[in-house]
Amino acid sequence: MTPLSSVIRAFADGLKPEPDMTIDQWADKYRKLTSETSSEPGDWETERTPYLREIMFELSPQSDTEEVVFMKGSQVGGTEVGNNFIGYIIHKEPGPALMLHSTMGTAEDASVQRIDTMIETTPVLRERIKEATARKWASTRRRKKFPGGFLFLRGAKSALALRSTPIRFLFMDELDSFDRDVQGEGNPISLAVKRTATFARRKIFKVSTPTIKDRSHIEEAFKNSDQRHYHLPCPVCGHKQWLQWKGFIWQRDAEGRHLPETVKYQCEMCGDLIGEEFKDWMLANGEWIPDNPGHPVRGYHLSAFYSPLGLGFSWAYWVQDKLSCGVDPVKLKTWTNHGEARTWEEHAEEVDKNPLLDRLEDYRGAQVPAGGLVITVGIDVQVDRFEVVARAWGEGEESWLVEWKTIDGGIKDAEARKNLAEWLKQEWIHESGVKLPVAIALIDSGNQAKFVYDLVRVLRRQGVKISASKGSSHHQPEAIKKMKQKGGVPFFSIGTEFCKVAIYSRLNDVHEPGPGFYHFPEGTPEEYFNQLTAEKFRTKLHKGHEIVVWEKKSDQRNEVLDCEVLCLAGLTYLRPSYQRLATRLAVSSIGVTSKARVAEERMHDPLTRDAQRVKPRRGGYLNRWREV
Ligand SMILES: [Zn+2]
């Protein structure tokens, strides 16, 4: 469209032309926030998060920058920058736009929860969409139409969706949950970027919290940029520096206990300790400085330590959270990704079984020691047998092997099915004397899917809390994902690689009982450990990208590892409240089996739980991480 026709259209639309307005100025003037999506509803104020101003400017037509990369921690406002970018396009700079998510499902969620909410609450946007609707261009979840342009919302899983219409504006959200390869046609990010090639004044915006080193799309994009960090002036000496974890200092009390609430930031120049009460002042006077100046791509890195007072978590929160991770690599990974906005370096390439054999413990007669509060089961289906593992879990995901067993006869063998049913219906004796049933069992549907669904259906009718599952073939970046029912039974997709990395990290790095520790009882056969440690992973280059490949160390069987993956995935789905379980056990052990126990068990069943619409806990970044 020529500038002249755009001016004429602007007049025709009854708007005054505002040729110099940038996205941040637009947001300050027009953008409204609701209490549903923001802790501070009302008018958008860029002043509240001053570090976002430059990012929004670079996304504006007044800047020649074509590509902006934002690698961020939680609650710094990255999502809102994307919303403002989209709002501005709809109102001020209409053209073909694409908002890309990892899956169509997350794209539709964003469409309803973010884009529709923004349109409804921001009058100028509501008007634009209404105009298009009046011209018989109705908007849907997957497409928003406005005069002069459209916004497609798509999942990065379909090569076709990534190849069609040329687009001028490309917004890719949570880049690190994108697959590395789409239907054998290569990297979804490059495919999408190709669609912008015909536009001279294109804008590409990549946003994500980083994940794993050498496998992170956003880190790769940031490395290929001018690499900016937000430098804050020291209130004492004025020296500008960017906040890094190593700069935080806090006190301990006389007994050596950490006091996170005393946290301060130590200036790298004058050494003075800066309190968080100076943060808003420092943010207002901060400045983005590139490490790699001159690169045409603008890259921004911002940890969660920058979120303004009252908007995100405090420095004390991050210290407390880091301390509570202990040495658990799984928790530390989440903290590093969401707090520091850095990638996590994995080093659990393989596990040596010998140190594990040296730490077998006597559970003092009880099948489940005091700390184990909930039992999950993993079942691997072989042609001639079932392999089963039961594991008890407690606070901090410390866990105890309860039983490993082989049930002879395959899934088509009635006797074997009966034996499996009996085994699943048993209860294990907890140290308190209470009997613990299976809270969730996951069975791998493998290549016997139909038979497995039938078996699950029969077992569920008999009261066994069992669901079917299958390992994801798409590098699923989370332990477990609930899918549509299959064969009439609950069905889960398992992030097998994700779980294996978690298990191997814990086996390698957590040496003391406590969060993340794996306990094994005396008498566990060496074969269990052979199978548990049967695999190793390495990264290899695949179509130009590092991917993780798991392989067997030798011809060693590995069913135990598969079962342990399902035990961990099942636990991740349950997200039990250990405190409540502990109270329940204490109550039960003195002979009162309460209604609460029945209710708790019902809660743990996937079908009942969904029927009751149990609300996920809100607010914590850990919870949001799990729902990604
Ligand atoms: Zn200083």
Side-chain angles (χ1 to χ4, degrees), residues 377-402:
V377 160
I379 305 163
D380 186 66
V381 181
Q382 295 293 321
V383 187
D384 58 349
R385 66 187 188 279
F386 296 106
E387 294 280 343
V388 293
V389 167
R391 180 165 284 279
W393 302 85
E395 195 65 47
E397 298 190 2
E398 183 173 4
S399 68
W400 292 261
L401 175 64
V402 174

Side-chain angles (χ1 to χ4, degrees), residues 132-238:
T133 313
R135 296 177 201 176
K136 304 237 179 333
W137 260 99
S139 286
T140 64
R141 278 187 184 194
R142 300 183 178 195
R143 186 197 66 210
K144 311 290 171 200
K145 185 72 182 96
F146 43 90
F150 57 78
L151 169 68
F152 281 138
L153 295 113
R154 291 287 182 270
K157 284 207 178 287
S158 149
L160 185 67
L162 294 172
R163 266 201 319 258
S164 38
T165 346
I167 41 160
R168 184 176 158 205
F169 303 106
L170 173 60
F171 169 27
M172 293 187 267
D173 201 7
E174 280 309 331
L175 215 61
D176 271 21
S177 45
F178 284 30
D179 289 345
R180 277 162 209 83
D181 182 77
V182 184
Q183 299 173 322
E185 297 200 20
N187 182 338
I189 297 160
S190 328
L191 288 176
V193 167
K194 271 189 198 147
R195 291 181 52 182
T196 64
T198 51
F199 287 94
R201 295 177 55 71
R202 63 179 178 171
K203 293 282 180 188
I204 298 160
F205 186 32
K206 299 174 177 172
V207 184
S208 192
T209 299
T211 51
I212 295 163
K213 190 171 167 56
D214 297 329
R215 291 160 65 195
S216 163
H217 292 301
I218 196 73
E219 184 180 55
E220 191 183 324
F222 182 75
K223 279 183 181 161
N224 180 38
S225 78
D226 68 354
Q227 302 173 13
R228 286 168 185 251
H229 297 281
Y230 200 62
H231 291 241
L232 305 177
C234 166
V236 181
C237 72

Side-chain angles (χ1 to χ4, degrees), residues 561-576:
L561 180 57
D562 289 337
C563 292
E564 288 283 7
V565 161
L566 294 177
C567 289
L568 176 63
L571 178 85
T572 309
Y573 178 74
L574 291 184
R575 280 199 251 163

